[in-house]
């Protein structure tokens, strides 16, 4: 690891390593006290490349993102991905402005929209069918997309909602439906370079508890019980719970 001296001041800057912490995103604390999720530069860039290898997005697209950056979906896929991939990005500060956002989507000729079921449902209720004329892809996560929402977007706007699944700990995307590989009532296929295993759960006959491993899995947790100490994942495996 080298050091760079600034030509503008007597300041020494350390070159970043791929395994260095890039961001710390805090979970809501649904399983106890809020935890800090340490994501590295490698984690974020890996998830960016994983998404771009499955989703047909390019420099001709305009991504509209109103999701908050304190959430990993809005930060990583909604902001870092387009900013580092040459995709035009339009940021809006709140996803709750249901009447304003459809008009802005029309004004900027957005082709990609990210959202949750709650937000997408809110836009659909007030949007004119022509507001989404330029939209090619709508990707949803963070909560299960209702069948009513999917049908509304197909019938009113002629657009399919592609549902995905992720976690803050995986930078965040784990799987996503795409135009090429789409399966109804699913969250799509695992992203490239991800491994998985199912742990048996008593009383559950089909399926089990999902564990995943890949270059996008976090470095570890920061817990309130051990300030400043990163509790690293064991052998790279993350227990999704």
């Amino acid at each position: 690891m080298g050091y760079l001296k600034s030509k503008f001041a007597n300041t020494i800057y350390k070159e970043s390593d791929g395994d260095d912490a890039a961001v710390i995103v805090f979970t809501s604390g649904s399983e106890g006290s809020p935890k800090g999720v340490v994501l590295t530069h490698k984690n974020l860039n890996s998830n960016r490349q994983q998404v771009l290898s499955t989703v047909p997005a390019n420099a001709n697209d305009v991504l509209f993102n109103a999701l908050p950056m304190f959430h990993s979906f809005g930060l990583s896929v909604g902001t870092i991905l387009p900013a580092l991939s040459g995709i035009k990005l339009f940021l809006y500060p709140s996803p709750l402005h249901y009447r304003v956002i459809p008009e802005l989507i029309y004004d900027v000729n957005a082709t990609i929209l990210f959202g949750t079921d709650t937000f997408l449902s809110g836009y659909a209720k007030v949007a004119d069918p022509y507001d989404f004329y330029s939209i090619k892809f709508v990707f949803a996560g963070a909560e299960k997309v209702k069948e009513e929402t999917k049908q509304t977007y197909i019938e009113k706007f002629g657009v399919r909602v592609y549902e995905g699944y992720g976690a803050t700990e995986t930078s965040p995307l784990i799987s996503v439906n795409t135009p090429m590989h789409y399966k109804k009532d699913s969250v799509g296929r695992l992203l490239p370079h991800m491994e998985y295993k199912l742990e048996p759960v008593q009383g559950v006959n089909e399926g089990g508890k999902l564990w995943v491993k890949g270059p996008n899995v976090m470095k570890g947790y920061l817990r309130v019980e051990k300030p400043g100490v990163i509790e690293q994942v064991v052998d790279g495996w993350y227990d999704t719970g």
Side-chain angles (χ1 to χ4, degrees), residues 41-223:
H41 296 274
K42 179 182 177 181
N43 292 154
L44 295 170
N45 264 310
S46 294
N47 206 226
R48 177 172 70 94
Q49 296 294 350
Q50 287 168 311
V51 174
L52 289 174
S53 68
T54 58
V55 175
N58 55 55
N60 296 319
D61 285 305
V62 178
L63 192 153
F64 189 99
N65 180 29
L67 297 175
M69 290 189 195
F70 61 76
H71 191 280
S72 58
F73 190 13
L75 172 66
S76 179
V77 184
T79 305
I80 294 176
L81 183 149
L84 296 183
S85 307
I87 297 172
K88 189 178 292 184
L89 171 64
F90 188 94
L91 293 170
Y92 189 75
S94 173
L96 299 173
H97 297 172
Y98 296 140
R99 294 190 178 278
V100 175
I101 286 175
E103 294 181 3
L104 287 174
I105 289 173
Y106 171 84
D107 288 341
V108 302
N109 295 323
T111 59
I112 301 173
L113 173 64
F114 290 147
T116 67
D117 179 78
T118 299
F119 302 145
L120 294 177
S121 177
Y123 307 148
K125 289 176 182 176
V126 297
D128 183 275
Y130 203 59
D131 286 336
F132 290 177
Y133 83 99
S134 60
I135 290 289
K136 297 190 301 185
F137 306 116
V138 177
F139 293 101
E143 60 181 337
K144 182 175 174 58
V145 180
K146 298 183 182 69
E147 188 60 33
E148 177 186 354
T149 305
K150 297 176 184 177
Q151 283 301 116
T152 299
Y153 272 76
I154 285 287
E155 295 171 4
K156 187 174 183 179
F157 308 115
V159 178
R160 172 175 278 164
V161 176
Y162 295 99
E163 195 168 359
Y165 168 66
T168 303
E169 291 86 346
T170 56
S171 307
L173 215 58
I174 293 174
S175 66
V176 65
N177 273 299
T178 65
M180 183 173 292
H181 300 294
Y182 177 84
K183 186 175 182 180
K184 190 176 184 295
D185 298 325
S186 81
V187 289
R189 295 183 171 191
L190 284 174
L191 293 178
H193 301 292
M194 293 206 74
E195 302 174 51
Y196 78 95
K197 59 184 179 182
L198 292 176
E199 180 183 303
V201 176
Q202 187 174 2
V204 177
N205 296 323
E206 292 187 33
K209 186 164 66 169
L210 177 67
W211 291 70
V212 293
K213 183 178 183 179
N216 54 317
V217 172
M218 66 173 178
K219 187 169 188 174
Y221 285 123
L222 287 174
R223 297 184 186 271

